[in-house]
Structures are given as C-alpha cells and as structure tokens.
Amino acid sequence: MKWSQVAVSSLFTLCSFRASAFVAKPVARRAFVNARIHGSSATFPAKASRVFGTSALNAKVGRLADPETELLANTDIFIFDCDGVIWRGDSLIDGIPETLAKLRAAGKKMFFVTNNSTKSRAGYKKKFDSLGLDVPSEEIFSSSFAAAAYLEQTKFKDTGKKVYIIGEVGIGEELDLIDVPWIGGPDDVGKVPPMGPGDALDHDKDVGAVIVGFDRHINYHKIQTAQLCINENEGCEFIATNLDAVTHLTDAQEWAGNGSMVGAIKGCTGKEPTVVGKPSPLMIDYLVEKLGVDKSRICMVGDRLDTDVVFGTDNGLQSVLVLSGVTSESKLLGDDNTITPDYYCDSIVDFFQPAAVAK
C-alpha cells in the first residue's frame, strides 16, 4: 500500500509543517505552522472547584472528583496513551471497553497514541482487535508512524539514501509504506561483529539516517553499526522514536524502555537525537486543522509525566494523569515533581465514577 492510500495521509496535505513542527530535541518544541490553523472560537469554561488533599494542594494538582463538570463537559476530544492507560503488556485494564463505549455514546472523539514503535499502525489495529476493542485504524498513531512521517516531511526519499533501524517490525513496515529503503531491524537479530585482532565491522556508506526504536533484541552489532553510520557517514541523522525510560512489556513489572537504547547511541556518538514521538506537537496541529476544534477542548490522558502530561501542557491541552501505569501518586505529589496535570485519577474508569475526596 502506498503512502497516499494510508488512512491518515491527509496529515501531510492538510498542514504544511516545517520539520521542527513535530520534532523535540530532546524536549517538545512548539509547532511552527506555515499554513494558518483555523480552530473554533470556543473558549474553555472555567474549571469547577477541585478537591485537594494536603499533599495534592502542595503539588497544585487535584484528584478528579466531579468528572462531568470538571472534565467531560469541557472536552470534545480525548487523546489516550495506550501502554498503562488502555492496557498493560498484553492485558486489558479493567473497565476499559465499557468506558470507551460510554465516551463514544456521549459523542466524544478519541485518538490513541503510543510511543512504542514495535508495531506499525496496522500492527496496533490487530492488537486492539485481539483485546476486543473496536478502534478504527485512523484513530491510531504510533511512534513508528511518526518516524516515517518525519522522513516524509523532510523529503528523505529524495536523497536516495537508506535508513538503518535499531528496532522491531513496526518501523520497517511504516517505511515500506513510503518506499524508503532500510536495513537492520529484525534482520540483525543475533548478529555478532568480528572482534579479533585487526577485525573491523563494515557498514553501509549509503545510510543517511539511523532510527532508534524499542528493540528487545538489541545487541553490540546493532550499536556498533549505528555509531559507524552516524559518526562516519556525512550528514547521517540520528532519529529516536521516543525517550521513554521504562515500558510495559508485561503487567508484572516495569522494563527498560527505549531511552536506554537511545542512551547507548548517544553515549558512543556524542550526539543528541531528533525525537519524533510524544511530546511532539504534530498530531495536535493536525487535529485542530482537520476537526476545527479549540486546543483547550482536547484532553491528553496518559500515565507518564515527562511525555504524556508534557505533551498536553506544552501544546495547550487539558491533561489527566492516570495511576494505572508507571507513575505513582507519591511521585506525582512528591516535592521533586515539577510537572502537573490538570487532574489525576486511578484509571479512565473514573471518568464515570466520581472519586472520593483525597485524604
């Protein structure tokens, strides 16, 4: 299937963005939009009084107490992170199907965005289906897609170069849709470089970009190949799908995330990556243009402070942190935390179940 056939290909025809519109190095930048974005003139109603406990008051964030007036009445579009919000590993979080159904019945639009690059959008569609969730593919955005979108926007294909991938099948599947050649990825699983006296690892001089995504099979061959391409190929770009410190491979514990893999390449190249996943503003500007809504009528819901909540606050959205993923209540309300969502709750099930007053 060609790029023009992709359900969300209008992402690039509706808005003419500079590449920096959706690139963070390594934190989110505001979008620079060439085309004027015409959102609605709706204003964001004043929030209802929040419920604060002592520690929550110090952190200036309230637990969601009256979802109807505090959140639902003020929100037209919900953007949900997936890992830690909809599922953990391969396990669906309790109450999610019923909650999503209630939101759709209430006329709310929804989009699902994940920084996990191991699957393409088609792969994530299959995961939603396997969990019994009827989510249209056009509502799904993955960081593997964001990497392909970045290359499309910067006209990488015109260079005649190829991409070296540290990552799994998702990135390659998305690059195939835009006809960008690539090497590495799953093809380099289990490879060991020659390391005897006088040995050297050959690398492809035609690699013009290295994309680093989450890779459960990362090895020294991949790291060495990436550093050779970035350090020795003139103009080779270092791209990261995300900088997540931990991820949910299973629902039993946290696992080292893509930040550890990106860190390995940063360490041996001394270079900072172009980050294309959250908290990039690309999707926000697309939705504002396509749907004609005010940003303040969009709510980002996630389990991470440094990506999900920052994605919301940096882009003028409402934000809700859920405690069903990697962030604990103690971390959110701790003295060291400087990132504060508008509200927090245990899970999105609480959108229809008023929370108890915090102690």
Side-chain angles (χ1 to χ4, degrees):
M1 181 169 60
K2 300 298 183 183
W3 179 259
S4 60
Q5 297 173 305
V6 178
V8 292
S9 62
S10 55
L11 174 63
F12 305 110
T13 58
L14 285 173
C15 298
S16 176
F17 295 112
R18 297 176 190 168
S20 60
F22 53 101
V23 179
K25 288 190 175 185
V27 297
R29 296 175 181 169
R30 292 287 187 183
F32 295 95
V33 184
N34 293 330
R36 290 190 64 183
I37 303 298
H38 299 285
S40 71
S41 59
T43 57
F44 183 43
K47 288 186 173 66
S49 298
R50 302 185 190 181
V51 176
F52 292 103
T54 302
S55 58
L57 183 61
N58 293 337
K60 297 181 181 179
V61 55
R63 178 178 278 275
L64 190 64
D66 185 354
E68 178 58 39
T69 58
E70 293 173 339
L71 182 63
L72 299 178
N74 303 324
T75 305
D76 298 321
I77 297 173
F78 284 95
I79 299 175
F80 293 110
D81 179 44
C82 294
D83 299 320
V85 178
I86 305 300
W87 58 65
R88 283 189 294 266
D90 291 321
S91 300
L92 195 63
I93 293 173
D94 290 344
I96 294 301
E98 296 82 3
T99 301
L100 296 182
K102 289 177 182 178
L103 287 170
R104 292 192 189 279
K108 308 302 182 183
K109 292 183 173 64
M110 290 179 283
F111 294 90
F112 301 84
V113 56
T114 175
N115 266 354
N116 190 330
S117 64
T118 59
K119 296 180 178 65
S120 61
R121 286 158 299 152
Y124 275 108
K125 170 60 177 169
K126 291 179 181 177
K127 179 163 186 174
F128 277 102
D129 291 345
S130 71
L131 293 172
L133 298 175
D134 184 15
V135 173
S137 57
E138 59 267 24
E139 291 182 354
I140 302 169
F141 292 78
S142 64
S143 63
S144 54
F145 166 67
Y150 174 74
L151 295 181
E152 178 81 0
Q153 181 65 23
T154 56
K155 301 186 184 303
F156 179 83
K157 184 179 177 181
D158 294 348
T159 68
K161 300 288 186 178
K162 64 186 69 168
V163 173
Y164 181 74
I165 296 173
I166 291 180
E168 302 188 18
V169 297
I171 299 171
E173 288 178 355
E174 293 289 352
L175 295 186
D176 287 342
L177 294 176
I178 58 171
D179 294 325
V180 167
W182 58 273
I183 58 174
D187 294 337
D188 283 356
V189 171
K191 288 187 178 180
V192 178
M195 291 179 284
D199 282 338
L201 179 65
D202 291 331
H203 75 285
D204 195 322
K205 307 301 191 296
D206 288 330
V207 169
V210 172
I211 298 177
V212 181
F214 184 73
D215 191 337
R216 285 167 286 194
H217 305 284
I218 192 167
N219 55 44
Y220 194 56
H221 174 93
K222 295 181 181 184
I223 294 172
Q224 174 66 354
T225 301
Q227 81 85 9
L228 288 172
C229 291
I230 293 169
N231 285 337
E232 298 188 8
N233 291 3
E234 184 177 357
C236 183
E237 188 164 10
F238 174 19
I239 300 167
T241 60
N242 67 87
L243 299 177
D244 291 359
V246 294
T247 190
H248 298 282
L249 284 182
T250 70
D251 59 358
Q253 63 182 187
E254 295 176 357
W255 298 78
N258 194 48
S260 62
M261 291 140 204
V262 174
I265 307 307
K266 287 173 61 176
C268 60
T269 63
K271 297 182 180 179
E272 291 290 335
T274 296
V275 182
V276 296
K278 289 179 294 182
S280 150
L282 168 68
M283 183 177 59
I284 298 303
D285 292 304
Y286 163 67
L287 292 176
V288 169
E289 172 69 10
K290 184 176 188 296
L291 302 175
V293 296
D294 191 284
K295 287 184 179 182
S296 64
R297 303 286 301 179
I298 303 174
C299 182
M300 175 65 208
V301 182
D303 69 317
R304 296 175 186 270
L305 292 165
D306 58 347
T307 54
D308 299 324
V309 174
V310 169
F311 182 65
T313 58
D314 274 15
N315 290 290
L317 316 179
Q318 303 173 72
S319 60
V320 173
L321 180 87
V322 292
L323 304 178
S324 52
V326 301
T327 304
S328 65
E329 187 174 34
S330 60
K331 179 177 180 179
L332 169 66
L333 305 180
D335 293 337
D336 294 336
N337 177 41
T338 59
I339 303 171
T340 54
D342 291 302
Y343 298 101
Y344 74 99
C345 58
D346 292 329
S347 78
I348 68 169
V349 174
D350 291 342
F351 288 7
F352 294 94
Q353 296 177 2
V357 176
K359 301 296 183 182

